[in-house]
């Protein structure tokens, strides 16, 4: 419902290779850690965004999207739904081309705002699931 196959495919293959992963830390038990590794294997540059600004998977981390000193193509969101809308708004302000809310991250108002701002968006999906499902890897 919140991401047809064409939009998912476009985000994964056409909109760029720099993905800011909000909520990514060095905690190997969190889903963000494994999904970020999958994105790297798929050829994406993964930029960790977490208050601790830790280096993860060899990439320098940043405390916020605004702190990233270069362009970001896609913002992948691994925070609670209550916080996700603010992250989507930051992604729009940052100039991202797309926002991806992970499984279980749902904010319909943020989805509408982000799409109205001209960005592609999917919600309640996981790229680690979508890449093989769409035959992209």
């Amino acid at each position: 419902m919140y991401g047809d196959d064409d939009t998912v495919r476009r985000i994964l293959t056409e909109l760029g290779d720099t993905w800011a992963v909000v909520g990514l830390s060095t905690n190997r038990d969190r889903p963000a850690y494994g999904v970020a590794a999958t994105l790297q294997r798929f050829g994406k540059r993964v930029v960790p965004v977490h208050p601790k600004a830790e280096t993860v998977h060899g990439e320098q981390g940043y405390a916020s999207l605004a702190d990233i000193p270069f362009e970001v193509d896609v913002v992948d969101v691994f925070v609670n739904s209550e916080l996700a809308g603010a992250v989507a708004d930051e992604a729009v302000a940052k100039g991202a081309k797309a926002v991806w809310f992970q499984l279980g991250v749902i904010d319909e108002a943020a989805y509408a705002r982000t799409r109205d701002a001209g960005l592609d968006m999917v919600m309640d999906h996981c790229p680690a699931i979508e890449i093989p499902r769409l035959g992209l890897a």
Side-chain angles (χ1 to χ4, degrees):
M1 179 172 179
Y2 298 107
D4 59 85
D5 285 354
D6 289 341
T7 301
V8 169
R9 186 182 304 277
R10 184 171 46 256
I11 292 171
L12 288 168
T13 63
E14 298 175 23
L15 295 187
D17 292 332
T18 302
W19 285 51
V21 181
V22 179
L24 176 57
S25 71
T26 57
N27 184 343
R28 294 172 181 261
D29 294 330
R30 302 289 299 168
Y33 192 88
V35 171
T38 297
L39 288 167
Q40 279 188 323
R41 286 191 301 273
F42 188 60
K44 305 301 181 188
R45 177 182 184 191
V46 171
V47 182
V49 179
H50 188 279
K52 293 181 182 178
E54 299 171 307
T55 296
V56 185
H57 297 306
E59 288 285 348
Q60 169 64 49
Y62 298 90
S64 71
L65 287 174
D67 290 342
I68 301 173
F70 47 83
E71 290 184 11
V72 170
D73 300 310
V74 180
V75 176
D76 190 1
V77 182
F78 278 93
V79 299
N80 292 328
S81 297
E82 297 78 30
L83 304 173
V87 176
D89 295 340
E90 292 170 24
V92 171
K94 179 72 179 166
K97 299 172 188 164
V99 175
W100 189 299
F101 280 9
Q102 282 293 325
L103 290 174
V105 181
I106 299 172
D107 182 331
E108 292 181 3
Y111 181 85
R113 283 194 313 274
T114 303
R115 301 276 305 204
D116 288 346
L119 282 70
D120 277 331
M121 183 167 181
V122 297
M123 184 165 67
D124 196 27
H125 285 70
C126 179
I129 294 169
E130 298 300 323
I131 289 167
R133 185 183 72 79
L134 293 173
L136 301 175

